[in-house]
Amino acid sequence: MPVATSTARPGGRSARVRAAVHRAVQEFLAGNPAETMTLPLIAGRAGVHPTTLYRKWGTVADLMADVASSRFSGDIVVPDTGSLREDLRRWARDVATDLADPDVLAVMRAAIGSGPQGGCACTADRHAQLTAILDRERARGGTAPETAHAADVLLGPLYYRAIFAGQPADPSWTEELVDALLK
Amino acid sequence: MPVATSTARPGGRSARVRAAVHRAVQEFLAGNPAETMTLPLIAGRAGVHPTTLYRKWGTVADLMADVASSRFSGDIVVPDTGSLREDLRRWARDVATDLADPDVLAVMRAAIGSGPQGGCACTADRHAQLTAILDRERARGGTAPETAHAADVLLGPLYYRAIFAGQPADPSWTEELVDALLK
């Protein structure tokens, strides 16, 4: 481990603190009710002084919004098969797989519980991915539904079932959602 | 107030305590972040001894599930216009109106944040209402979609937009959802 190098870059330490704190939040939520989480408890798990957390995030709600936007960003590669239907089917199946992970659901529920901004942070990236898939179809010369409508038809049922109905999504059901969107 | 009567009925006192505690939770959530809620804080607001709350609910998560299932039960009258389309349009508009209330959203977010059972408690009654509307159409001799599919198409987008996208639903959009379900 190049300790000398990393102490010479303050950004390196800051990034490590953030990673340790995010990991501490996810580990905490995997084993404890969200409402028992406090900044000092997370600081203790992450091996960081509590004042660092108060200075950097201020409140549990701000920390959860940061964890959610980081956790739900950039970890799904947008498929590019040349077919809109196949791209959407693969993408919807990946979203469903992610939503079937109890640890993912715990972070998402805690983010929603901590305030309005937390909820949005969970899905901002999904909207961007969906827009990218639909835009690519138009660039190919095809037609594609508007993002808002596609989000209603695809993300609506996926997130509703995961959060409200407590039902795991099966892959053939996600294909039906895509087929309903594209007729 | 018939004090003698109410002290003679233990159920009366228990119901009043429950109502006072539920009201205290809703008032607390209207003005404070959900993650700062504790049973002693709610006990203080409700004028009830904390041990009563610990004995009756045990944890914030159990209390939130009870508040959510009570708050989201029986307060929407299922429309009966003689037409499935019109029944669903009115019902979907009522659900959307409910979801546009910031106090309703605060209770719902807190219930989701407090654990898996919280989310389900928010929508169990909506499923029952939807099933009642669809069953009535079949009893009239008409055909109606399955509840699970109708929930995906109607409740999915309504709750997704309210919780994740932070968008208020407009009435014409809820009609489009119903028209998409019934073709």
Side-chain angles (χ1 to χ4, degrees):
Chain A
M1 288 280 110
V3 174
T5 310
S6 56
T7 52
R9 289 183 299 119
R13 183 181 131 71
S14 171
R16 277 201 311 282
V17 165
R18 184 162 177 262
V21 168
H22 282 206
R23 197 165 50 242
V25 167
Q26 296 188 47
E27 286 172 4
F28 181 88
L29 290 173
N32 302 277
E35 74 262 16
T36 61
M37 188 167 77
T38 63
L39 292 187
L41 276 175
I42 296 301
R45 281 180 172 250
V48 172
H49 200 279
T51 52
T52 305
L53 272 78
Y54 283 108
R55 199 171 53 232
K56 204 169 162 62
W57 288 284
T59 66
V60 167
D62 290 331
L63 173 57
M64 274 315 306
D66 187 35
V67 170
S69 74
S70 157
R71 173 62 190 77
F72 300 114
S73 289
D75 60 339
I76 289 189
V77 177
V78 178
D80 186 5
T81 64
S83 146
L84 176 61
R85 186 178 304 262
E86 190 56 27
D87 284 356
L88 288 174
R89 282 180 167 192
R90 291 192 186 189
W91 176 77
R93 205 158 48 221
D94 287 346
V95 174
T97 302
D98 203 38
L99 289 174
D101 181 339
D103 293 347
V104 166
L105 287 175
V107 170
M108 198 175 292
R109 275 195 296 264
I112 292 168
S114 70
Q117 80 279 28
C120 298
C122 299
T123 53
D125 226 53
R126 297 280 177 264
H127 273 255
Q129 292 160 354
L130 189 52
T131 303
I133 293 174
L134 299 169
D135 281 351
R136 202 166 46 207
E137 177 64 13
R138 290 186 203 102
R140 277 185 204 120
T143 57
E146 292 302 314
T147 303
H149 178 61
D152 285 342
V153 175
L154 302 179
L155 295 177
L158 280 162
Y159 281 79
Y160 177 78
R161 285 200 179 190
I163 293 294
F164 290 98
Q167 281 175 298
D170 81 77
S172 69
W173 173 69
T174 64
E175 294 198 355
E176 283 170 36
L177 293 178
V178 172
D179 292 346
L181 174 68
L182 300 180
K183 305 295 188 311
Chain B
M1 286 281 109
V3 173
T5 310
S6 56
T7 52
R9 289 182 302 119
R13 183 181 130 71
S14 170
R16 278 201 311 281
V17 165
R18 184 162 177 262
V21 168
H22 281 205
R23 198 164 49 241
V25 167
Q26 296 189 46
E27 287 171 4
F28 181 88
L29 290 172
N32 303 276
E35 75 261 16
T36 61
M37 188 165 77
T38 64
L39 293 187
L41 277 175
I42 296 301
R45 281 178 171 252
V48 172
H49 200 279
T51 52
T52 305
L53 272 78
Y54 283 108
R55 200 173 51 233
K56 205 168 161 63
W57 289 284
T59 65
V60 167
D62 292 330
L63 173 56
M64 275 314 307
D66 186 35
V67 170
S69 73
S70 157
R71 174 60 191 80
F72 301 115
S73 289
D75 60 340
I76 289 188
V77 176
V78 178
D80 187 5
T81 64
S83 146
L84 175 61
R85 186 177 305 262
E86 190 56 29
D87 285 356
L88 288 174
R89 283 180 167 191
R90 291 193 185 188
W91 176 78
R93 206 158 48 220
D94 287 346
V95 174
T97 302
D98 204 38
L99 289 174
D101 180 339
D103 293 346
V104 166
L105 287 176
V107 170
M108 198 174 291
R109 277 195 295 263
I112 294 167
S114 70
Q117 80 276 34
C120 300
C122 297
T123 53
D125 226 52
R126 296 280 178 263
H127 272 255
Q129 292 159 354
L130 189 52
T131 303
I133 293 173
L134 299 169
D135 281 350
R136 202 166 46 208
E137 177 66 11
R138 289 186 204 101
R140 275 185 206 121
T143 57
E146 292 303 313
T147 302
H149 178 61
D152 286 342
V153 175
L154 301 179
L155 295 177
L158 279 162
Y159 282 79
Y160 177 78
R161 285 199 180 191
I163 293 293
F164 290 98
Q167 282 174 295
D170 79 78
S172 69
W173 173 69
T174 64
E175 294 199 355
E176 282 170 37
L177 294 178
V178 172
D179 292 346
L181 174 67
L182 300 180
K183 304 295 187 311

